[in-house]
Amino acid sequence: MFSHDRLALAIEYAELLATDGVTRGLIGPREPPRLWERHLLNCAVLGEIVPQGATLADVGSGAGLPGLVLAIARPDLQVTLVEPLLRRTRFLDEVVARLGLNSQVSVVRGRAEDLADETSFHIVTARAVAPLERLARWCLPLVSSGGELIAMKGAGVEAEVTQAEADLRRLGSWPVSIVQLGTDVLAEPTWAVRLSRPETGPVGWRDRASNGAAPRGRRTRKQRRNL
């Protein structure tokens, strides 16, 4: 999952997670012994379904999972880590600089809905951020036409998809695809849901605002500049 010349970066990132990541509250104190299996490799297998040369936004990136792992494993990707909490973006900025990934990885402090009017991405990823229907409303407006939202989920993913079906149909992102990744390399494979953005029409929170107004809590550009 990591080429020879990128494995050293993955090892250094794992060390930063196990030390600074724990002391700064980004990774739980019980996580270091299982960082590779539960976090790095679990995220890296997502690269199996990310197209070559894609632009990718990782929403609610936290400690950089899965976005930073994918950037390390896939130097062909251009990755934006989107995270609203300052203490987390500071950590991400430091890690990106430490690993020498500044030309490939950008860190943005904000929420998905803050960026939807300004840019879009071939792929948007999210891990343990929100229930599927809410995640789709937030993230689909960030996806380029014909692109995908890839949401990492647990083994109960089928029940979550069933529960979200009505909302996903309304958003124009149905049917969805549930995929199991890393079955040949991981003891517990990674589950992901793939949601395509429709070619035309409003998606996400936009479909609920007939006058084009932003959802409650959405910052204006002026407010974002003052963050």
Side-chain angles (χ1 to χ4, degrees):
M1 282 179 273
F2 297 99
S3 63
H4 179 73
D5 60 332
R6 305 288 275 193
L7 181 58
L9 295 179
I11 292 172
E12 188 171 2
Y13 176 47
E15 291 173 349
L16 290 169
L17 287 176
T19 52
D20 287 0
V22 172
T23 59
R24 295 163 73 166
L26 280 79
I27 291 290
R30 296 183 181 180
E31 296 306 306
R34 53 187 185 180
L35 272 176
W36 283 94
E37 178 91 5
R38 187 179 176 89
H39 298 289
L40 275 77
L41 300 182
N42 175 266
C43 291
V45 294
L46 237 60
E48 297 176 17
I49 55 174
V50 175
Q52 191 77 14
T55 57
L56 183 147
D58 183 32
V59 171
S61 193
L65 303 166
L68 197 46
V69 174
L70 289 170
I72 294 171
R74 294 279 304 276
D76 60 287
L77 303 177
Q78 284 294 318
V79 176
T80 300
L81 308 177
V82 183
E83 169 56 49
L85 295 184
L86 179 60
R87 65 184 178 87
R88 293 176 180 171
T89 56
R90 282 176 173 167
F91 174 80
L92 293 172
D93 279 328
E94 292 168 15
V95 173
V96 169
R98 176 83 171 265
L99 300 182
L101 297 176
N102 300 81
S103 62
Q104 183 193 1
V105 180
S106 302
V107 179
V108 174
R109 185 186 172 204
R111 295 175 172 82
E113 59 266 35
D114 296 331
L115 304 180
D117 288 330
E118 301 172 3
T119 188
S120 62
F121 303 86
H122 301 127
I123 300 293
V124 175
T125 58
R127 182 186 194 232
V129 173
L132 193 57
E133 64 276 11
R134 197 184 314 161
L135 193 65
R137 289 199 304 269
W138 292 343
C139 294
L140 281 174
L142 264 185
V143 179
S144 302
S145 180
E148 284 189 322
L149 164 62
I150 302 177
M152 295 181 68
K153 291 293 180 178
V157 60
E158 291 187 5
E160 185 174 350
V161 167
T162 299
Q163 184 177 355
E165 179 178 348
D167 286 321
L168 297 179
R169 285 184 180 276
R170 178 175 53 77
L171 294 174
S173 187
W174 188 268
V176 303
S177 173
I178 301 173
V179 293
Q180 196 177 27
L181 304 168
T183 54
D184 55 341
V185 292
L186 299 177
E188 295 184 12
T190 295
W191 291 91
V193 183
R194 304 174 72 174
L195 299 88
S196 297
R197 171 163 178 157
E199 293 289 341
T200 60
V203 294
W205 52 262
R206 297 174 187 275
D207 74 330
R208 304 177 65 185
S210 60
N211 61 357
R216 184 177 299 179
R218 179 175 163 84
R219 299 186 184 96
T220 65
R221 284 194 178 92
K222 182 177 180 181
Q223 288 171 323
R224 293 200 299 274
R225 285 196 297 269
N226 293 331
L227 286 176

